[in-house]
């Protein structure tokens, strides 16, 4: 049914996806990160389209050597000890090629990969590549998504471009840039807006691109310091629960009838929600579902599969910790839109809490819809069990 989180003791190399809208400071952040000692032995992949100038990425402005300069992928070794790889073709092929070059000693032995996306990119296809390819899964693991957010222009971008909303919604870490030149009141309002879109993602302020890498990376399930899975940090279900409590308090204290895309959804029983058409993020919802009793794996798989098939485009990010009936070990699941990573069995529970927990960031999917579909699969499973008895 499941695979172990770290089969055979080998932990695949971590991949972080760096995304963010045009002009939000991705490249500035990356250039500053690459001179940090903690970022030595990092392979950087620039996932762009068309011709790309590498000058912005070369911290010292010097190339030490070129490999395959005429191909679809160009590798550039930099003074920092990092490796830059510019991809104009297939990211999947480039990642495999990069790993094989590492094994053969053709490139430095990197220990981490950072993929920078184009500013207009929906990060989901890159995440799909990392989730869906079994060969890549043997080499790499998704560590997390880092999204840069322009404190000056993000408000207008979120209204105008849904891609910018998705970048924030799927992120594990948010980096707020240009706060030194932004109006403090606008920054405070933007922070509240980011928390409504993605309550579990910490917001880190970068000044002139300067950020401690420890705040951005090692955001995945695997904790390299303890060499074990850190489920509480990865799932961060407390943030969703806190948001739900805040939303209900806000709802009862403000009888306006308007919708802020909160967990209670304001659908008034009519199956539709009123939105401000000028705010794309009013369609984004963050939910945490908790199931007290152990769950049959067929129910979990059927439920998530059904959601992926019927609402896949609107399931922006999902993470879960499952108490599977008959299993002593917990199982983690996570997915992006219609694709789910193969479930992984952890060696032990993180604490005494044995409840199953699922966190979702969705577009136009009310909490009630998630609960209703889960209840349907649970009812069907109970009927089948009764027939067997």
């Amino acid at each position: 049914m499941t695979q172990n989180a770290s089969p055979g003791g080998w932990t695949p190399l971590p991949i972080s996806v760096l995304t963010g809208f045009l002009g939000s400071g991705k490249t500035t952040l990356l250039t500053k990160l690459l001179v940090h000692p903690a970022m030595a032995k990092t392979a950087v992949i620039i996932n762009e389209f068309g011709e790309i100038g590498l000058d912005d990425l070369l911290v010292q402005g010097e190339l030490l050597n070129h490999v395959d300069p005429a191909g679809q992928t160009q590798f550039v070794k930099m003074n920092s000890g990092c490796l830059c790889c510019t991809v104009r073709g297939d990211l999947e092929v480039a990642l495999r090629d990069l790993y094989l070059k590492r094994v053969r000693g053709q490139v430095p032995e990197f220990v981490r990969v950072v993929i920078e996306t184009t500013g207009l990119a929906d990060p989901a296809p890159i995440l799909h590549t990392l989730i869906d390819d079994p060969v890549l899964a043997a080499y790499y693991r998704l560590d997390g998504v880092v999204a840069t957010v322009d404190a000056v222009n993000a408000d207008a971008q979120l209204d105008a471009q849904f891609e910018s909303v998705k970048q924030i919604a799927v992120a594990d870490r948010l980096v707020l840039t240009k706060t030194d030149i932004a109006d403090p009141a606008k920054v405070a309002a933007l922070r509240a807006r980011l928390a409504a879109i993605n309550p579990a993602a910490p917001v880190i302020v970068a000044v002139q691109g300067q950020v401690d890498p420890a705040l951005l990376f090692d955001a995945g399930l695997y904790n390299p310091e303890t060499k074990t899975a850190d489920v509480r940090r990865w799932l961060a279900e407390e943030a969703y629960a806190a948001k739900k409590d805040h939303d209900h308090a806000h709802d009862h204290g403000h009888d306006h009838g308007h919708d802020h895309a909160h967990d209670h959804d304001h659908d008034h029983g009519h199956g539709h929600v009123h939105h401000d058409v000028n705010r794309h993020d009013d369609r984004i919802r963050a939910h945490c579902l908790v199931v007290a009793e152990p769950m049959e794996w067929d129910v979990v798989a059927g439920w998530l599969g059904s959601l992926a098939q019927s609402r896949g485009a609107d399931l922006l990010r999902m993470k879960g910790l499952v108490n599977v009936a008959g299993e002593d070990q917990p199982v983690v699941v996570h997915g992006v839109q219609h694709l789910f990573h193969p479930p992984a069995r952890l060696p032990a529970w993180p604490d005494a809490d044995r409840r199953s927990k699922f966190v979702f960031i969705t577009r136009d999917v009310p909490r009630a819809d998630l609960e209703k579909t889960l209840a349907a699969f649970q009812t069907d499973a109970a009927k089948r069990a009764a027939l067997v008895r």
Side-chain angles (χ1 to χ4, degrees):
M1 176 189 68
T2 61
Q3 60 182 26
N4 290 325
S6 298
W10 157 245
T11 302
L13 298 172
I15 290 184
S16 298
V17 178
L18 176 59
T19 187
F21 207 69
L22 290 170
S24 62
K26 292 191 307 298
T27 300
T28 300
L29 175 66
L30 193 53
T31 55
K32 297 295 177 65
L33 286 172
L34 291 182
V35 295
H36 196 287
M39 295 295 287
K41 298 186 177 180
T42 297
V44 180
I45 294 180
I46 314 302
N47 187 228
E48 291 274 8
F49 303 98
E51 292 300 320
I52 305 137
L54 293 172
D55 293 344
D56 288 341
L57 271 180
L58 302 178
V59 180
Q60 305 298 330
E62 297 181 30
L63 306 184
L64 298 188
N65 64 294
H66 288 254
V67 180
D68 190 22
Q72 287 294 301
T73 304
Q74 185 181 50
F75 298 100
V76 181
K77 185 179 178 183
M78 303 193 299
N79 282 340
S80 63
C82 302
L83 192 73
C84 176
C85 166
T86 304
V87 178
R88 290 190 278 275
D90 192 330
L91 178 62
E92 177 184 335
V93 173
L95 284 168
R96 293 191 192 194
D97 188 39
L98 184 60
Y99 188 86
L100 292 175
K101 288 181 185 296
R102 177 185 185 272
V103 171
R104 296 168 184 156
Q106 295 174 288
V107 299
E109 191 176 4
F110 58 90
V111 297
R112 169 188 305 281
V113 177
V114 176
I115 301 173
E116 183 191 5
T117 73
T118 178
L120 292 173
D122 175 356
I126 291 177
L127 301 181
H128 292 169
T129 298
L130 301 177
I131 289 173
D132 199 38
D133 188 296
V135 175
L136 288 184
Y139 299 157
Y140 303 105
R141 59 184 170 87
L142 175 63
D143 178 61
V145 180
V146 178
T148 51
V149 183
D150 182 338
V152 174
N153 300 304
D155 213 42
Q157 291 168 348
L158 290 169
D159 288 345
Q161 302 286 344
F162 185 64
E163 288 80 4
S164 66
V165 179
K166 287 187 73 174
Q167 290 167 350
I168 291 166
V170 303
D172 298 283
R173 302 285 185 270
L174 298 173
V175 179
L176 200 55
T177 65
K178 305 182 186 178
T179 55
D180 53 327
I181 60 173
D183 177 78
K186 286 186 64 176
V187 173
L190 177 60
R191 280 180 171 273
R193 194 170 182 179
L194 297 178
I197 297 171
N198 190 338
V203 178
I204 299 107
V205 174
V207 179
Q208 302 297 321
Q210 298 284 0
V211 174
D212 182 353
L215 298 175
L216 304 183
F217 302 106
D218 301 326
L221 178 63
Y222 179 79
N223 187 333
E225 292 186 4
T226 62
K227 308 296 184 185
T228 59
D230 190 343
V231 180
R232 291 181 62 89
R233 175 179 58 94
W234 174 75
L235 197 61
E237 79 274 6
E238 297 91 346
Y240 296 85
K243 178 179 183 298
K244 182 181 178 184
D245 292 341
H246 172 271
D247 290 345
H248 278 294
H250 183 280
D251 186 36
H252 293 298
H254 299 78
D255 191 18
H256 305 160
H258 63 269
D259 175 41
H260 285 299
H262 293 157
D263 210 35
H264 46 272
D265 298 320
H266 285 286
D267 63 7
H268 305 294
H270 300 301
H272 64 275
V273 181
H274 299 290
H275 302 292
D276 181 347
V277 295
N278 295 317
R279 286 172 61 96
H280 285 290
D281 47 311
D282 273 355
R283 304 175 64 187
I284 304 301
R285 297 161 187 280
H287 312 291
C288 179
L289 273 62
V290 179
V291 180
E293 298 300 322
M295 304 180 70
E296 296 294 334
W297 180 250
D298 286 350
V299 169
V300 178
W303 174 49
L304 295 180
S306 173
L307 288 173
Q309 184 175 15
S310 62
R311 304 301 300 270
D314 298 320
L315 298 179
L316 303 185
R317 193 88 189 262
M318 176 269 168
K319 299 177 182 179
L321 177 70
V322 189
N323 183 351
V324 179
E327 296 264 354
D328 294 329
Q329 299 166 299
V331 172
V332 292
V333 291
H334 63 99
V336 177
Q337 292 183 316
H338 60 278
L339 284 180
F340 283 84
H341 193 280
R345 184 186 290 108
L346 299 182
W349 285 88
D351 51 39
D353 189 351
R354 296 293 189 270
R355 296 176 300 169
S356 298
K357 302 170 185 178
F358 303 89
V359 296
F360 293 86
I361 294 182
T362 71
R363 175 178 57 181
D364 294 334
V365 182
R367 177 187 181 90
D369 285 8
L370 300 175
E371 293 175 332
K372 187 186 304 181
T373 52
L374 173 58
F377 277 93
Q378 290 174 322
T379 299
D380 287 346
K383 289 178 178 178
R384 289 196 301 270
L387 289 175
V388 172
R389 288 196 296 269

